[in-house]
Amino acid sequence: MGQLNGVILPHALSLLIGGARALYAILKLLPTQRKVVLITREPRQITVDFSLLQDAIRRKHPEHRIVVIKHQKLSPTYIPKALREMYHLATCSGCLVDGYIIPVSILNHRKDLRIGQVWHALGAIKKFGHLASGTREGPHPQVAATMQMHQNYTFVCASGEVPASIYTAAFGITADQVWPLGMPRVDHLLDERRMAERRNKIVHHYPQLQAARDAGGRTVLYIPTFRRGKHIPYTKVATAFAEEDASTLVLLPHPIDRSPLPQGERTIIGTDFGVLDWLAVADVVITDYSAVTYEASLRNIPLVFWPYDMADYLEARGLAVDYAAEVPGPIAESAADAVDAALSIGTPDYREFRSKHLNFVTDDDGSLPQDPPRCADRIVEALALPSSQGPQR
């Protein structure tokens, strides 16, 4: 069946793509508008990255309209929505995306249209895109080729040398298409006023967090990578906290994760807030292969790694880095070891990690900059939008 799909599906997709390109050629005859299109794969709410990009566009180009589109996966219900995406791509002055967007990759765009990829993570530990092609969890190679996966980007934003090299391979692009612009979330994470506001909002919603801290406890986030078709052992981590007298465990499951979740006074299911919000209150993060590693390192939050299914994960998807050499924290063998480490770990020194993985947004030695690097402004400038005085393209 897999081989059959590898032949029939690409052929059917090729026919659809041909029809879409013919229609798009007509749409491109329409006048170009002073408009920036932001296309996101986030189904629930606008991300911090896109929110800050909207602010930067309004500030730097107030004459441009902003159109935000929530992209859906390929399905029969997607077809009418695809027409809307095609119309806005054909008539916009610039476009930014945060994931693989079908019309962006498969269509033939105007030569003067700049399209920027603002990936939804500061870096990568696990393989994705073309790096994962042909693996159990990755795309079928022939389908990826037919759909021109991750093509047509003018630039891909990166925050450091190591992510830049990974993006080059994962997106199947040349090194000169990866630009050292950082990502808007960097400014968010380094803005102490903004993070204090997020912390106050969460503590107001969960007053037990402050009570626990006053009693000497820690707020420990468990943020595992989503596993397709497999349950994540949240209960093992919660059980390891059972005898702890003060600390609070916050579980942050993926939106489509259906693993059983434990209940308890000192366990919070933190889906009322986003991961970046929770980093405003976290004392420690336990994870495995998640790119939250990068965000936590910008906040100097201690990290503990529990890759409980390493052998299976390597077979299912694979890792983009040398795990033991690159992760900036202790690697635990069990849930109990992970919790013990989380409750005893001291203040980390992430300068060496940041000097390789985040050096486009930090000082050369990995020290945090005194002033945020204005990543959202950099990205908007990279779009080279027409000014209000200049001619519309």
Side-chain angles (χ1 to χ4, degrees), residues 14-256:
S14 294
L15 294 175
L16 287 173
I17 291 169
R21 286 175 177 166
L23 175 59
Y24 191 61
I26 297 172
L27 291 174
K28 285 191 295 182
L29 299 175
L30 296 171
T32 304
Q33 304 169 22
R34 296 190 190 277
K35 171 177 65 178
V36 183
V37 178
L38 308 182
I39 311 179
T40 178
R41 291 184 69 100
E42 171 56 50
R44 295 182 300 173
Q45 60 184 8
I46 299 302
T47 64
V48 165
D49 289 319
F50 271 22
S51 177
L52 293 176
L53 285 167
Q54 289 181 81
D55 291 344
I57 294 166
R58 294 187 185 107
R59 185 172 61 252
K60 300 177 74 64
H61 295 277
E63 73 284 358
H64 276 69
R65 183 163 61 100
I66 300 170
V67 176
V68 179
I69 300 174
K70 294 186 177 181
H71 180 75
Q72 292 185 350
K73 292 183 179 180
L74 188 62
S75 68
T77 61
Y78 167 65
I79 302 301
K81 295 179 175 62
L83 296 177
R84 177 174 181 249
E85 292 176 347
M86 291 166 61
Y87 165 75
H88 284 299
L89 282 168
T91 57
C92 71
S93 299
C95 175
L96 295 170
V97 301
D98 64 2
Y100 169 54
I101 308 299
I102 295 171
V104 166
S105 290
I106 67 170
L107 298 175
N108 300 316
H109 303 288
R110 302 189 323 269
K111 290 183 179 180
D112 63 346
L113 177 61
R114 287 195 170 191
I115 300 174
Q117 170 64 258
V118 187
W119 194 241
H120 51 264
L122 284 179
I125 291 177
K126 58 180 180 285
K127 289 182 177 180
F128 69 95
H130 291 283
L131 280 174
S133 181
T135 65
R136 192 168 75 219
E137 292 191 354
H140 191 287
Q142 286 182 279
V143 173
T146 301
M147 298 298 289
Q148 297 184 230
M149 190 171 70
H150 291 304
Q151 296 304 292
N152 290 332
Y153 303 142
T154 309
F155 60 89
V156 172
C157 303
S159 297
E161 290 179 7
V162 172
S165 65
I166 294 171
Y167 291 166
T168 300
F171 293 130
I173 58 177
T174 58
D176 61 354
Q177 289 176 269
V178 183
W179 294 8
L181 302 173
M183 296 180 188
R185 66 181 58 196
V186 173
D187 293 330
H188 173 84
L189 290 165
L190 295 179
D191 187 333
E192 294 302 331
R193 179 192 60 80
R194 183 185 292 268
M195 293 301 282
E197 290 175 354
R198 304 313 298 164
R199 172 181 168 73
N200 291 338
K201 189 170 183 177
I202 291 176
V203 171
H204 178 76
H205 190 75
Y206 295 107
Q208 64 265 44
L209 292 173
Q210 188 60 52
R213 176 166 292 186
D214 292 342
R218 293 183 170 189
T219 300
V220 179
L221 309 187
Y222 180 40
I223 311 175
T225 297
F226 173 68
R227 273 80 162 171
R228 190 174 300 166
K230 293 182 179 292
H231 283 168
I232 294 171
Y234 296 104
T235 52
K236 287 186 178 181
V237 179
T239 299
F241 274 86
E243 300 303 319
E244 179 58 29
D245 57 358
S247 293
T248 303
L249 172 65
V250 179
L251 304 178
L252 293 174
H254 190 277
I256 61 174

Side-chain angles (χ1 to χ4, degrees), residues 220-348:
V220 179
L221 309 187
Y222 180 40
I223 311 175
T225 297
F226 173 68
R227 273 80 162 171
R228 190 174 300 166
K230 293 182 179 292
H231 283 168
I232 294 171
Y234 296 104
T235 52
K236 287 186 178 181
V237 179
T239 299
F241 274 86
E243 300 303 319
E244 179 58 29
D245 57 358
S247 293
T248 303
L249 172 65
V250 179
L251 304 178
L252 293 174
H254 190 277
I256 61 174
D257 185 5
R258 296 295 177 262
S259 303
L261 296 172
Q263 302 292 325
E265 287 185 14
R266 292 188 298 276
T267 300
I268 293 173
I269 312 302
T271 50
D272 288 341
F273 296 94
V275 172
L276 297 186
D277 295 329
W278 279 107
L279 292 181
V281 300
D283 295 306
V284 188
V285 171
I286 300 174
T287 187
D288 40 40
Y289 322 111
S290 172
V292 73
T293 298
Y294 290 83
E295 284 92 354
S297 73
L298 280 176
R299 295 294 304 165
N300 283 321
I301 301 169
L303 284 151
V304 176
F305 295 87
W306 181 38
Y308 63 85
D309 61 349
M310 175 69 80
D312 182 69
Y313 201 82
L314 288 173
E315 180 184 349
R317 176 177 286 271
L319 300 179
V321 298
D322 181 339
Y323 194 83
E326 294 295 334
V327 297
I331 300 174
E333 296 292 329
S334 67
D337 290 342
V339 171
D340 287 345
L343 298 179
S344 61
I345 194 169
T347 303

